[in-house]
Amino acid sequence: MPLMPKRVKFRKQQRGTNKGNATRGNKVSFGEYGLQLLEGGWLTARQIEAGRIAARQYASREGKLFVRVFPDKPISKKPLETRMGKGKAEPEYWCAVVKPGTIVYEIAGVPESMAKAAFARVAHKMPFKCRFVTRRHA
Amino acid sequence: MSQTTPRLETQKRDKIGTRYARRLRDEGRLPIVIYGHGHDPVHASVDTREFHGVVSHHAHLVEVMVDGQATPCLLKDVQYDYLDRDPVHADLAIVNLDEDVEVEVGLELTGDAVGLKTSGAMLDQLMTTLAVRCKANNIPEMIEHDISALDVGGSIHVSDLAMPTGVAAVDEDEKLVAHIAVQAEKPEPDELDADAEAASDEPEVIDKGKKEEGEGDEKE
């Protein structure tokens, strides 16, 4: 079952705009290390899930992984060889709208070397440039 | 004033606002504001690298020049850019060294816990900072706690932390700082395969939305 909301108010959405940088969700808040996006765009439910599996498999049972984004935007797509018009197409997949600076994953309870290696694998699954970050202490 | 208190050279800012602050940052300076103890707020700037060095050493108290005299100030707040990398602004509050202040200090757990040798055991640290009350000239850089003896199922509460003399925790004694938990083994469903077959699954539409929207396409 892909990540998607349980209930929605409207089945379809317009594309919207995605400008600026992240002002929320741009700090490591739950774990000790995180993966931060340096670019913005749409992160699909499949990409989020692929990243989660990549990190989970590398860290096996160790540590706790936090996924900080949720795909709540339905993206519709017309079937192939269909003429234009006849209204908006059916939703095809779900995505999260992310901005530069967004922390996508966090991990706690593992050494830094393991967190780095796990997030390096995750970064390959991401459609954006990413960087490894650590929590800022007081 | 103790000799270990870092000192920051400031320059007064005459022009304030986004545009001038940005120009300052481009020149390698950080805009700051100094206030408190009945003083009018002073807009100033400090060298960004110098400031970064102070913050990275967990300093809470700094000495800055206000109206021509060295004044002890508390680092009240530091704002960072969208990547949480470079400081963009800082708030400094003037303090008397003899007055009691409340500050957030880092909490570091040291040592290898016995319980972590168990397979699947994980140290869950719920608090990484601790609010403490102490004299302004006696702020600890960090509170350290040795967890070597911590076993599976064991936990540390605020009351268990050894505080330096003259420092008291503000948080409640019962507040959980960290514990060692063993993660239950969960079978990982092969979600990627399930994606294809579940692609047609749709969330429930709340009544406020168009009820007939899904059927509307079929009418055409």
Side-chain angles (χ1 to χ4, degrees), chain A residues 80-102:
Chain A
L80 292 176
E81 298 180 6
T82 310
R83 287 184 183 275
M84 290 295 108
K86 304 288 179 197
K88 190 169 174 68
E90 290 301 301
E92 178 82 7
Y93 59 93
W94 291 79
C95 73
V97 180
V98 292
K99 292 183 170 190
T102 306

Side-chain angles (χ1 to χ4, degrees), chain B residues 65-81:
Chain B
M65 299 295 283
V66 180
D67 297 333
Q69 59 179 4
T71 313
C73 288
L74 207 58
L75 266 175
K76 204 75 174 165
D77 183 40
V78 183
Q79 293 172 26
Y80 289 88
D81 65 349

Side-chain angles (χ1 to χ4, degrees), chain B residues 12-56:
Chain B
K12 211 163 180 182
R13 285 189 283 153
D14 299 324
K15 293 174 176 174
I16 56 171
T18 310
R19 185 176 297 182
Y20 300 107
R22 188 170 291 163
R23 285 177 194 167
L24 268 177
R25 288 184 203 112
D26 290 344
E27 291 166 13
R29 298 197 64 81
L30 178 73
I32 61 167
V33 61
I34 305 161
Y35 53 79
H37 276 273
H39 286 262
D40 285 336
V42 178
H43 299 278
S45 71
V46 292
D47 185 68
T48 306
R49 289 185 69 171
E50 207 176 307
F51 181 83
H52 202 267
V54 169
V55 173
S56 60

Side-chain angles (χ1 to χ4, degrees), chain B residues 144-199:
Chain B
E144 289 189 358
H145 186 79
D146 185 28
I147 55 162
S148 306
L150 197 64
D151 211 339
V152 174
S155 53
I156 303 166
H157 295 86
V158 171
S159 55
D160 300 329
L161 300 172
M163 292 289 171
T165 43
V167 180
V170 176
D171 291 305
E172 306 89 57
D173 285 353
E174 306 84 46
K175 209 168 174 185
L176 187 63
V177 173
H179 67 116
I180 293 186
V182 178
Q183 297 189 82
E185 228 174 322
K186 279 187 261 175
E188 288 276 334
D190 201 352
E191 275 126 321
L192 281 181
D193 287 350
D195 270 4
E197 61 187 17

Side-chain angles (χ1 to χ4, degrees), chain B residues 2-158:
Chain B
S2 72
Q3 288 189 342
T4 52
T5 308
R7 192 173 186 154
L8 289 172
E9 294 299 327
T10 59
Q11 278 177 15
K12 211 163 180 182
R13 285 189 283 153
D14 299 324
K15 293 174 176 174
I16 56 171
T18 310
R19 185 176 297 182
Y20 300 107
R22 188 170 291 163
R23 285 177 194 167
L24 268 177
R25 288 184 203 112
D26 290 344
E27 291 166 13
R29 298 197 64 81
L30 178 73
I32 61 167
V33 61
I34 305 161
Y35 53 79
H37 276 273
H39 286 262
D40 285 336
V42 178
H43 299 278
S45 71
V46 292
D47 185 68
T48 306
R49 289 185 69 171
E50 207 176 307
F51 181 83
H52 202 267
V54 169
V55 173
S56 60
H57 286 94
H58 307 290
H60 291 278
L61 197 67
V62 290
E63 199 181 47
V64 292
M65 299 295 283
V66 180
D67 297 333
Q69 59 179 4
T71 313
C73 288
L74 207 58
L75 266 175
K76 204 75 174 165
D77 183 40
V78 183
Q79 293 172 26
Y80 289 88
D81 65 349
Y82 71 100
L83 290 176
D84 198 26
R85 192 165 51 185
D86 303 320
V88 291
H89 188 268
D91 284 18
L92 303 182
I94 298 169
V95 285
N96 279 336
L97 291 178
D98 296 330
E99 74 177 311
D100 277 346
V101 290
E102 269 185 32
V103 286
E104 290 266 326
V105 295
L107 187 60
E108 196 173 325
L109 302 179
T110 56
D112 294 327
V114 181
L116 289 179
K117 286 169 186 158
T118 312
S119 169
M122 194 193 87
L123 176 69
D124 195 2
Q125 189 176 348
L126 303 167
M127 287 173 70
T128 53
T129 60
L130 184 72
V132 296
R133 186 180 292 116
C134 56
K135 294 267 184 239
N137 58 359
N138 189 30
I139 302 172
E141 271 189 18
M142 195 161 271
I143 304 284
E144 289 189 358
H145 186 79
D146 185 28
I147 55 162
S148 306
L150 197 64
D151 211 339
V152 174
S155 53
I156 303 166
H157 295 86
V158 171

Side-chain angles (χ1 to χ4, degrees), chain A residues 23-44:
Chain A
T23 54
R24 313 170 59 173
N26 58 351
K27 289 179 172 59
V28 180
S29 305
F30 298 96
E32 196 61 28
Y33 308 102
L35 188 74
Q36 187 177 46
L37 300 182
L38 299 178
E39 296 166 322
W42 289 349
L43 197 58
T44 68

Side-chain angles (χ1 to χ4, degrees), chain A residues 6 8 61 63 90 131 136, chain B residues 83-84 183 204 206 217:
Chain A
K6 285 196 179 76
V8 289
R61 277 182 69 199
E90 290 301 301
R131 76 179 186 124
R136 183 184 297 285
Chain B
L83 290 176
D84 198 26
Q183 297 189 82
E204 179 193 342
I206 301 171
D217 296 339

